[in-house]
Amino acid sequence: MTKVNAIHCTLTPEEERAYVDWATERYGVEPVSMDIEFDGEFANVRTNLGRRPFERIRRITGYLVGTLDRFNDAKAAEERDRVKHGI
């Protein structure tokens, strides 16, 4: 449930839901909170999407992968036998 903070204005529940739907469509995730402030005809919207998981992508055995769970046995063995260098 998104917390909508209307600054120096009043929004109806329908207007709040419209802003939340707009942000959800734009960013692909429902925001944690939103600050909405009107400046004349314009709305300044600050959206907090919360913490999003970061997925590391590496190049392993010629493929860009995030995890090795989809590798078959041969590719998994190839990755296991690689020489790994420290940083």
Side-chain angles (χ1 to χ4, degrees), residues 15-54:
E15 290 172 320
E16 288 183 6
R17 187 75 238 164
Y19 278 106
V20 171
D21 291 344
W22 167 80
T24 301
E25 182 178 324
R26 179 175 180 152
Y27 300 113
V29 62
E30 185 170 330
V32 174
S33 65
M34 295 178 74
D35 294 334
I36 302 171
E37 180 178 15
F38 286 94
D39 181 19
E41 295 179 14
F42 300 98
N44 298 318
V45 180
R46 286 183 293 281
T47 307
N48 175 3
L49 299 177
R51 296 185 65 92
R52 299 176 95 183
F54 179 81

Side-chain angles (χ1 to χ4, degrees), residues 60-63 68 70-80:
I60 297 176
T61 66
Y63 296 92
L68 305 179
R70 297 189 64 196
F71 275 13
N72 62 24
D73 292 339
K75 278 293 178 196
E78 186 178 337
E79 190 279 330
R80 200 173 38 252

